[in-house]
Amino acid sequence: MAVQSEQILISSLMEESGVKFGTSGARGLATDMTDRVCYAYTTAFLHYLESKGDIRRGDEVAIAGDYRPSSPRIMNAVALAVRDGGFLPVNCGFIPTPAVACYAMARGQASIMVTGSHIPDDRNGIKFYKPTGEVLKPDEEAISRSEVKLPARFGVAGEVLASCFDDDGEILPDSMEGGCEALPHVNTAAETEYIQRYLDFFPAGCLQGRKVGVYQHSSVDRDIMVAVFEGLGASVTALGRSLSFIPVDTEAIRPEDVQLASVWAEKGDFDCLVSADGDGDRPLISDEHGNWLRGDVAGILCARYLEATHVVTPVSSNSAVEKSNWFKQVARTRIGSPYVIEAMDMAVADGASSVVGYEANGGFLIATDIELHGKTLTALPTRDAVIVPVAILLLAIEGGVSVGGLLDSLPQRFSCSDRLKAFPTDIAQARIKALSSGDIATDKAAIEALFGEQFGTVASINDTDGLRITFASEEVVHLRPSGNAPELRCYNEAATEARAAEMNRICMAIMDGWR
């Protein structure tokens, strides 16, 4: 008996399910990311690449995921769509986003990462990669306009009922006996190659005599970081491994993680502590005292070690990158890796030979091959976490200083950020719009009425992404709704760490009154 198939427009599915493209991939509540929804998104992605000639039937598609509870189910739904589309799913297991992307790009393959990154595990997401790298905003728009045909294998709740249907929706013999598993056995090549990428590039034994603590929690980078640092000669202590998912956000570090780092540093005499978020594309590195470095400061130091000439970073990042005068050119973008990648591509097209990018979350992107110490690190134009702590520790070693001492070489600009959770996006956008009408005089008056008593007069306003306000004192308030979750973020910058933190507390209190 034939089973009725379903035609569905992806843009309609977005509205129906609430699963939408954000700053990096499609995100939504895990309960809304049903097998049907994830199958549809994956099918649209593959059809899009096929229509452009980027992939063809029979090609392999690499799949990986993070450790949140819903990831295995979603990985299976993704693999089912890959298989039904005429492609070959390759299960790379639970590894970092940059690892699966690097594996696939080296082979000219598409790849898909199931992850909600740093957000709580009641949510999840899917990141899509073309054979050349991340899908960019024009790609997402094209995918959103796609219409796909889904077989009627999904129940009322959107779960897979059976995996063996033919193209006409006919149930094949013995289909129910095989269950609905579409993922093959794990192929460990992606993980192995990712580790070797760094062991081959950095000098052998370069971290000999250094002591590093790896905060493992629930990151898929946890064992890889141990392997890389030990492989380069460091003495490594694994810390804080967790069986349950911990939403480590490198832009809004939890008080618990601040306290843990302080205790570990006091007891362990480490040169630094390192970690990453859930999918291993946003790094954390501390100084010798357990103070976590801001991601945008870490990005500057990493770019310095790699001797980059052109740096791309979002508008939210610390202005010390320009004030340092270390780089030939610094370009600012909207927040989100697709925008950073687009600007890096423009720099490469203009002839730049050493182009990197980083975000305020610390994720580091490399647009061109990096030549250093007679070795070549191939381009990886997607956020990566491993490169950052290794590069920073080596920069400190070369300079004969501690990681904390490296910070003294930077212009003294300090930043602090936090977020209000469960803050409806439409309300956040309306509040910010009230301060950015487009009339400069009106907007400055409105901003000064709200913030003037605490921060003084407004010098400039930037609405590249959200609202970034620079006051006459050079202090900064940057307000922005999250692109991944119903959250309102605030970034602050000042001449001292204490002042930046104080500004952030003031702003958070004001914003909390906006609900």
Side-chain angles (χ1 to χ4, degrees), residues 106 168 222 255 335 423:
D168 297 320
R222 57 192 183 186
I335 295 173
F423 199 114

Coordinates of all heavy atoms in Angstrom, one line a residue, residues 106 168 222 255 335 423:
A106 N 38.5 18.9 3.0 CA 39.7 18.3 2.4 C 39.4 17.4 1.3 O 40.2 17.1 0.4 CB 40.5 17.6 3.5
D168 N 8.4 6.1 -4.2 CA 7.0 6.3 -4.3 C 6.2 6.2 -3.0 O 5.0 6.3 -3.0 CB 6.4 5.3 -5.3 CG 7.0 5.5 -6.7 OD1 7.1 6.7 -7.1 OD2 7.2 4.5 -7.4
R222 N 36.8 17.8 24.4 CA 37.5 17.6 25.6 C 38.7 16.6 25.5 O 39.8 16.9 26.1 CB 36.5 17.1 26.7 CG 35.7 15.9 26.3 CD 34.6 15.7 27.3 NE 33.9 14.4 27.1 CZ 32.8 14.1 27.8 NH1 32.3 15.0 28.7 NH2 32.1 13.0 27.6
P255 N 29.1 32.0 36.5 CA 29.9 32.2 37.7 C 30.5 30.9 38.2 O 31.6 31.0 38.8 CB 28.8 32.7 38.7 CG 27.8 33.4 37.8 CD 27.8 32.6 36.5
I335 N 27.6 40.6 13.4 CA 27.9 39.4 14.3 C 27.4 38.1 13.6 O 26.3 38.1 13.1 CB 27.2 39.6 15.7 CG1 27.9 40.8 16.4 CG2 27.4 38.3 16.5 CD1 27.2 41.1 17.7
F423 N 14.1 36.5 27.0 CA 13.8 37.9 26.6 C 13.3 37.8 25.2 O 14.0 37.6 24.2 CB 15.0 38.8 26.7 CG 14.6 40.3 26.8 CD1 14.9 41.0 27.9 CD2 14.0 40.9 25.7 CE1 14.6 42.3 28.0 CE2 13.7 42.3 25.8 CZ 14.0 43.0 26.9

